[in-house]
């Protein structure tokens, strides 16, 4: 699943995640969560069962093998809609041991990136650090096609996705052979 922390129609973070979907290696499907704008304000007095969008949010997160997040930085912080949606996950186990990578489309947006990393690690995700990269989406790179075609962006995306895919492969346990 991909999650963009931006609601902007022309979001570079969303475009980056769309480019990731275009460049996904064989066997990997990246599906965006597109209802972030409809997640109600977090209120611990309310139950997620009261809101179909929250039921969908939780169900989709439970169903995926891994999560890929990209978010803008607003006033040195995580976007409000993304932080709100993550707040609904506190007290659940939907992200516990879920492989997760974080992409940063803006090299100067380190505060949001670090804050998201901290929040997500506190939720006990399996942080895939080598797949969590800054992929500078700058200049004329405003759509998924342009990002996917840019050699530097393409290389970064392919590296991140390959690393994430490798983290999802089952570990092989080799039993010792005893001779005798």
């Amino acid at each position: 699943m991909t999650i963009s922390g931006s609601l902007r129609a022309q979001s570079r973070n969303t475009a980056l995640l769309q480019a990731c979907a275009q460049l996904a290696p064989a066997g990997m499907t990246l599906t965006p969560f597109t209802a972030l704008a409809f997640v109600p304000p977090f209120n611990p007095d309310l139950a997620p069962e009261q809101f179909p969008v929250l039921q969908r949010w939780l169900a989709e997160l439970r169903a995926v093998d891994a999560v890929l997040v990209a978010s803008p930085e607003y006033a040195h912080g995580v976007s409000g809609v993304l932080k709100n949606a993550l707040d609904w996950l506190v007290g659940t186990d939907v992200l516990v041991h879920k492989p997760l990578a974080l992409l940063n489309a803006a090299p100067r947006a380190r505060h949001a990136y670090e804050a998201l990393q901290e929040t997500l690690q506190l939720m006990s995700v399996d942080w895939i650090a080598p797949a969590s990269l800054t992929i500078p989406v700058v200049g004329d790179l405003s759509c998924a096609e342009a990002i996917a075609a840019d050699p530097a962006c393409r290389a970064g995306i392919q590296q991140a996705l390959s690393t994430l895919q490798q983290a999802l492969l089952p570990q092989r346990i080799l039993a010792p052979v005893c001779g005798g």
Side-chain angles (χ1 to χ4, degrees):
M1 169 191 284
T2 63
I3 303 167
S4 173
S6 179
L7 300 180
R8 283 185 57 227
Q10 300 299 317
S11 164
R12 290 177 189 257
N13 288 282
T14 302
L16 174 59
L17 293 172
Q18 291 168 342
C20 288
Q22 292 176 15
L23 297 172
M28 179 183 278
T29 302
L30 298 175
T31 305
F33 181 76
T34 58
L36 206 60
F38 306 105
V39 173
F42 176 69
N43 181 342
D45 290 334
L46 302 175
E49 295 77 26
Q50 295 175 260
F51 303 96
V53 70
L54 290 176
Q55 291 174 327
R56 178 179 163 205
W57 173 234
L58 295 168
E60 288 186 24
L61 282 169
R62 278 191 181 95
V64 298
D65 295 325
V67 180
L68 187 60
V69 179
S71 181
E73 178 173 295
Y74 296 127
H76 281 191
V78 177
S79 73
V81 293
L82 181 55
K83 179 65 169 85
N84 179 62
L86 292 174
D87 285 344
W88 280 104
L89 303 179
V90 174
T92 74
D93 64 352
V94 297
L95 288 181
V96 173
H97 302 302
K98 182 80 62 174
L100 187 140
L102 179 61
L103 297 180
N104 184 8
R108 296 181 313 183
R110 65 179 177 81
H111 298 287
Y113 183 86
E114 291 168 1
L116 262 176
Q117 183 179 8
E118 178 69 19
T119 298
L120 292 165
Q121 285 180 321
L122 286 170
M123 293 179 166
S124 299
V125 301
D126 281 344
W127 186 257
I128 311 301
S132 298
L133 304 173
T134 294
I135 300 173
V137 179
V138 295
D140 294 335
L141 302 176
S142 59
C143 68
E145 292 74 20
I147 294 167
D150 180 79
C153 289
R154 181 192 253 328
I157 289 168
Q158 289 174 327
Q159 176 187 344
L161 295 179
S162 175
T163 303
L164 184 58
Q165 188 176 47
Q166 289 298 314
L168 295 173
L169 294 176
Q171 299 275 334
R172 292 188 182 164
I173 299 173
L174 301 177
V177 178
C178 298

